[in-house]
Amino acid sequence: MAPPKPSAKSSKTPASKNKSQKKSVTARSEAKPDQLPPPAIPLELQQLLLNVFRNAFPERLGPELKPLLQEVKQHLYNRDFLHAFGKDEYLEVYALRWSPSRALGYAQIFDDLSEYLVQELGSVAKDAPRRIVCLGGGAGAEIVGLAGYLKLLERKNVLKQVASSDDTEKTVEGAPSTPHFDVVAIDIANWSSIVAGLQQAITTPPTLSKYASAAAKEANVELLQPDVLQTRFVQQDVLTMPLEDLSRELKDTTVVTLMFTLNELYSTSLAKTQSFLLRLTGSLQPGALLLVVDSPGSYSSVTLNGAEKKYPMHWLLDHTLLSTPQGAKPQDADAKWEKLLSDESKWFRLPEGLKYPIELENMRYQIHLYRRLP
């Protein structure tokens, strides 16, 4: 893919005051706490997702965190991505600082889209893993968000089974009772150690103190069993990725995500991004979903007949993917995609009570969901 989401992610970097040692995180909201609806993702599960990042890279949470974080911020501010993502310690600090908020937001998004996701995931053979490709997902937010969504599906299944007298074959909204996710993260920088560290933290019990009580040891379990979530990292620039490589990675894929990545691709090269989206279209099977999440109000400049004009990102995306004229039925035109959902501005707000050693932030985003047509 293009340089890893510099503007999208670094836009949340504090300008001056560093609060990296903050111990408790609360949502910044105009509404009073008692006016906010309860989070759809249980607070306890959101905390477990934050703990995944803490457990994956504990050595980075020491005294060296603050200077390393400042170095990464400076490189991002200078748009020097070669250095910002050039060291393992920088990648770990980046994942600790910017990915946790996104992971919670993504888990919420996946749950919000269950109506569409479960239908597509349920179309796969019962014992086959559900293949999900995260373009630009090297920093791990998508992986942890999917882990949270998968855990939520498991819990819903358990509750439904408990309430049922014949629970052996029960499912939630058509989903398999034990779905398995095969997640592939494709990114331009070498995030392989980050993906491996998060996979380890998700699928193994956290390390406890030798003084932990017997009850704590008994309750200490992994977030997900290793066979439920498998992850793999591929280092590639999707704008120059050979078609055969892209087609191989997208084979049998049920969901593709572009989270805070597409506008960076457009900013890098409009023509190459349009070409990539067309290659993506040709490589996906009918029924596959494309989920695009990005900063609201994202615009890209296009030069036509010598005049430069800015177009909204979602307009450029629709222009490339949706070939069906306004009002026409898909079967009456050469349509490749149908648009299932679109919202130009939404908020994910952190609930009260989460604890994390680095400041977290609410997430404002635009979202667009497409389904590949036959």
Side-chain angles (χ1 to χ4, degrees), residues 51-59 92 96 194 197-199 201:
N51 294 347
V52 165
F53 290 95
R54 297 177 63 171
N55 297 332
F57 315 110
E59 67 278 4
E92 291 176 4
L96 280 167
I194 303 302
L198 292 173
Q199 165 79 22

Side-chain angles (χ1 to χ4, degrees), residues 90-104:
Y90 282 178
L91 297 178
E92 291 176 4
V93 167
Y94 186 96
L96 280 167
R97 168 61 179 84
W98 283 281
S99 292
S101 298
R102 292 265 173 92
L104 299 186

Side-chain angles (χ1 to χ4, degrees), residues 181-243:
F181 283 3
D182 178 11
V183 183
V184 180
I186 302 178
D187 215 315
I188 191 171
N190 186 10
W191 297 89
S192 57
S193 62
I194 303 302
V195 171
L198 292 173
Q199 165 79 22
Q200 179 78 3
I202 290 169
T203 58
T204 59
T207 302
L208 294 180
S209 165
K210 63 180 180 180
Y211 303 108
S213 66
K217 292 178 181 178
E218 185 177 354
N220 188 42
V221 296
E222 67 275 5
L223 180 67
L224 294 171
Q225 295 182 2
D227 63 331
V228 172
L229 178 71
Q230 293 293 320
T231 60
R232 183 166 58 87
F233 176 74
V234 176
Q235 186 177 6
Q236 281 274 13
D237 179 349
V238 297
L239 294 185
T240 59
M241 192 174 182
L243 176 59

Side-chain angles (χ1 to χ4, degrees), residues 224-288:
L224 294 171
Q225 295 182 2
D227 63 331
V228 172
L229 178 71
Q230 293 293 320
T231 60
R232 183 166 58 87
F233 176 74
V234 176
Q235 186 177 6
Q236 281 274 13
D237 179 349
V238 297
L239 294 185
T240 59
M241 192 174 182
L243 176 59
E244 57 270 25
D245 292 348
L246 182 65
S247 298
R248 182 178 62 253
E249 296 300 340
L250 294 178
K251 183 180 180 182
D252 300 325
T253 294
T254 53
V255 180
V256 174
T257 68
L258 275 165
M259 310 290 238
F260 288 93
T261 296
L262 182 60
N263 199 55
E264 283 301 321
L265 297 180
Y266 276 129
S267 299
T268 300
S269 171
L270 176 66
K272 288 182 178 180
T273 301
Q274 288 176 311
S275 176
F276 157 68
L277 289 171
L278 293 176
R279 297 199 309 275
L280 176 77
T281 298
S283 300
L284 286 173
Q285 62 188 4

Side-chain angles (χ1 to χ4, degrees), residues 10 13 33 51 65 109 111 121 125 136 160 175 185 193 196 246 263 285 344 360:
S10 60
T13 304
N51 294 347
L65 173 64
I109 289 172
D111 185 54
L121 295 171
K160 203 165 184 89
S193 62
L246 182 65
N263 199 55
Q285 62 188 4
E344 295 181 31
L360 301 178

